[in-house]
Amino acid sequence: MLDLSVVVAVYNEDPRNLLRLLERLWKVISAENLSYEVIFVNDGSREEACKALRQIADEVDYVKLIELSRNFGQQAAISAGIDHADGRAVINIDSDLQDPPELIPAMVAKWREGYDVVYAQRSTRRDRVSKRFSAYLFYRLLGSVSSVKIPWDTGDYRLIDRKVINELRALPEKTRFLRGLIPWLGFKQIGIPIDRDAREVGESAYTLRKLLSLALDGLLSFSLMPLFAVSVVGAVFVALSVLFGALALFAPNLLQLNMAGLIATVAFFGGVQILCVGCVAAYIAKAAEEIRARPTYIVSERLGLGFARTEEEPQPASSNVAVSSARAVKTGSR
């Protein structure tokens, strides 16, 4: 069995980042004398990224390429990579190089000490102010209402032992919020602080809509607090109605509302009711998705020399292979 499987979900990534990632992975992992594979998951990318990925998979003997039938989202793509991993441990890393591959030796060291999950915890991050603020707010809001202790300021960059992977794959959820599912599993976990770099090449494919969708998945999957809040709001409204009813009966002169005030009051209470119904509907919709039991992802093709390697455990690949592939892709992507 291989020592490590490195999973990289790719959506419209700049080919130059893919090449740099491949070379930096080779430098840090080969220095540890570990056998490994790199699993790229193409999550419905455009032609330029698809071409680069296929060329890498055709030339590098430790690369697997999973082509999904369409864009299923980052969490589904990571799940696809994990399902195809053969290593005794799996490391997931983003394709944009904002999370440094040079942290892998420290992760491996903690793994060798007996930790089952080693996650990167961002002490600083060089992103836009709006993104830093939204991430800061999201983790603290989710942490305050979640039924599981989700480490603050952690993404999906982590090392996971095979026994944790086996339990993760056995979970029945179709919509997967891995940043919550992995802490929920338990086992021995530890964080390592990192300084998250700024993106050097290309633009982020993570739109505000995708970030909000991820946040909603996390909230609905790991907290029932919004439903309890609906009950509290209902109790407050019942108390207010009793109070106003008593005032109307015993002190009618105190409730001299004009028409505008009456309309505003009715609109306010109606709006709160609609918000409460919407909150309940969100949970029902999420439950309906799980009941349908549609697959988390669909694979259209499995490509790459990594799928064709022999059962003999390979040694770390030579730098010549990675560099050769890098040159070929650079030439093809001009």
Side-chain angles (χ1 to χ4, degrees):
M1 178 179 282
L2 293 166
D3 294 315
L4 295 178
S5 294
V6 181
V7 173
V8 187
V10 180
Y11 178 64
N12 294 336
E13 188 59 77
D14 190 298
R16 290 170 293 179
N17 275 339
L18 301 177
L19 302 174
R20 291 176 183 177
L21 175 61
L22 198 64
E23 292 178 349
R24 286 171 65 177
L25 285 172
W26 176 83
K27 288 179 182 178
V28 297
I29 299 177
S30 60
E32 296 294 308
N33 196 31
L34 296 171
S35 58
Y36 73 105
E37 64 183 356
V38 178
I39 305 172
F40 288 109
V41 183
N42 184 5
D43 190 24
S45 299
R46 290 192 291 264
E47 182 61 29
E48 184 180 19
C50 291
K51 183 178 179 181
L53 286 169
R54 291 189 175 216
Q55 197 159 358
I56 290 172
D58 285 342
E59 297 192 16
V60 184
D61 61 2
Y62 55 90
V63 167
K64 293 178 180 177
L65 175 58
I66 311 297
E67 297 265 7
L68 301 187
S69 62
R70 62 171 176 83
N71 178 248
F72 285 88
Q74 183 194 40
Q75 300 297 292
I78 295 172
S79 298
I82 288 174
D83 289 345
H84 288 81
D86 292 328
R88 294 192 296 118
V90 175
I91 296 176
N92 177 73
I93 188 170
D94 289 347
S95 60
D96 56 15
L97 289 175
Q98 287 188 268
D99 292 327
E102 288 73 21
L103 189 68
I104 290 177
M107 288 181 164
V108 170
K110 290 295 182 184
W111 176 48
R112 285 171 171 164
E113 289 176 16
Y115 289 96
D116 301 308
V117 177
V118 185
Y119 54 84
Q121 195 158 26
R122 299 159 184 171
S123 53
T124 62
R125 54 187 301 163
R126 298 178 179 88
D127 289 315
R128 298 187 304 273
V129 174
S130 59
K131 190 170 183 179
R132 291 202 305 267
F133 175 75
S134 61
Y136 177 90
L137 185 64
F138 164 68
Y139 283 111
R140 280 142 188 86
L141 176 61
L142 182 59
S144 65
V145 301
S146 175
S147 58
V148 176
K149 185 177 180 182
I150 300 175
W152 288 359
D153 303 319
T154 59
D156 293 304
Y157 187 19
R158 67 189 75 215
L159 179 149
I160 314 169
D161 186 78
R162 170 55 57 180
K163 64 184 177 184
V164 182
I165 291 295
N166 292 339
E167 297 300 328
L168 179 64
R169 293 182 62 188
L171 293 177
E173 281 96 336
K174 301 302 178 183
T175 301
R176 304 217 142 196
F177 182 70
L178 296 173
R179 301 176 195 187
L181 285 176
I182 295 172
W184 180 88
L185 287 170
F187 296 96
K188 195 175 180 181
Q189 308 198 13
I190 191 172
I192 298 179
I194 63 166
D195 295 323
R196 195 164 195 257
D197 296 329
R199 172 183 278 269
E200 295 181 1
V201 178
E203 296 293 330
S204 174
Y206 233 98
T207 62
L208 178 60
R209 178 175 173 273
K210 289 184 178 181
L211 288 171
L212 290 175
S213 177
L214 180 65
L216 187 61
D217 284 343
L219 182 63
L220 297 179
S221 298
F222 290 95
S223 178
L224 296 177
M225 190 63 70
L227 292 179
F228 295 136
V230 168
S231 300
V232 172
V233 170
V236 170
F237 276 23
V238 169
L240 287 175
S241 66
V242 171
L243 175 62
F244 285 137
L247 289 175
L249 184 61
F250 298 107
N253 293 332
L254 294 177
L255 295 178
Q256 294 180 352
L257 295 176
N258 57 28
M259 184 58 68
L262 180 61
I263 293 174
T265 302
V266 172
F268 171 76
F269 282 102
V272 172
Q273 287 178 326
I274 292 172
L275 285 175
C276 291
V277 171
C279 176
V280 175
Y283 280 90
I284 294 174
K286 186 60 63 177
E289 288 183 7
E290 295 297 325
I291 291 171
R292 292 189 190 104
R294 292 171 183 166
T296 303
Y297 60 86
I298 297 174
V299 175
S300 63
E301 287 187 273
R302 296 174 178 86
L303 305 170
L305 298 175
F307 283 112
R309 69 170 179 267
T310 63
E311 294 183 359
E312 180 183 355
E313 187 172 289
Q315 296 299 315
S318 68
S319 59
N320 292 332
V321 175
V323 172
S324 172
S325 177
R327 289 172 178 167
V329 176
K330 284 178 182 177
T331 303
S333 61
R334 285 176 182 171

